[in-house]
């Protein structure tokens, strides 16, 4: 380390630590973007399914079954998106933990897991069709 860095109080390990922290936070923001996107797709797909299920019970001849399947596909795409986001974030954490050795996870990972479970339950609920 040269004299100019020592006089300013900068330490190379501090700089690397801050860079790791910034990378961790950037990964967390990216995961939360995946969560927002997938949650929107899951809720919109579920809303389509339930709305057209309501129309089918109220007006059985006017409801289109294709929209029901579109809703199911949107839920599946949302579940796939959250899975990709979790996979990507997990890989980032693994590579950062190899350098940092703190073995930390982020709260966003837990939120993403909960959204994934909610997506699976929405899919199961949407697939159970009530006739009537």
């Amino acid at each position: 380390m040269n004299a100019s860095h020592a006089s300013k109080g900068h330490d190379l390990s501090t700089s690397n630590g801050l860079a790791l922290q910034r990378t961790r936070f950037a990964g967390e923001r990216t995961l939360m973007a995946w969560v927002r996107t997938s949650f929107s797709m899951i809720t919109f797909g579920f809303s389509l399914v339930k709305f057209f299920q309501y129309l089918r019970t109220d007006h059985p001849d006017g409801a289109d079954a294709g929209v029901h399947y579109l809703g199911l596909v949107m839920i599946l795409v949302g579940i796939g998106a959250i899975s990709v986001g979790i996979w990507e974030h997990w890989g980032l954490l693994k590579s950062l933990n190899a350098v940092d050795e703190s073995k930390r996870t982020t709260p966003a990972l837990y939120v993403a897991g909960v959204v994934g479970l909610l997506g699976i339950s929405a899919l199961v609920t949407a697939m159970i069709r009530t006739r009537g």
Side-chain angles (χ1 to χ4, degrees), residues 1-2 4 7-8 10 12-13 17 20 36 48 50 56 58 62 66-67 71 78 89 105-106 110 114 121-122 124:
M1 177 165 31
N2 62 24
S4 66
S7 65
K8 293 181 182 179
H10 293 292
L12 189 58
S13 63
L20 283 171
R36 283 189 303 272
L48 278 177
K50 287 303 176 181
R56 210 173 18 258
D58 203 27
V67 178
H89 190 71
T105 61
T106 60
Y110 298 116
V114 168
S121 67
V124 169

Side-chain angles (χ1 to χ4, degrees), residues 28-38:
E28 198 166 330
R29 284 190 303 270
T30 302
L31 179 61
M32 291 308 293
W34 279 105
V35 167
R36 283 189 303 272
T37 301
S38 63

Side-chain angles (χ1 to χ4, degrees), residues 34-67:
W34 279 105
V35 167
R36 283 189 303 272
T37 301
S38 63
F39 188 73
S40 298
M41 295 178 89
I42 290 167
T43 56
F44 185 65
F46 188 76
S47 298
L48 278 177
V49 168
K50 287 303 176 181
F51 179 70
F52 280 93
Q53 183 179 5
Y54 166 74
L55 283 182
R56 210 173 18 258
T57 54
D58 203 27
H59 306 289
D61 56 345
D64 185 16
V67 178

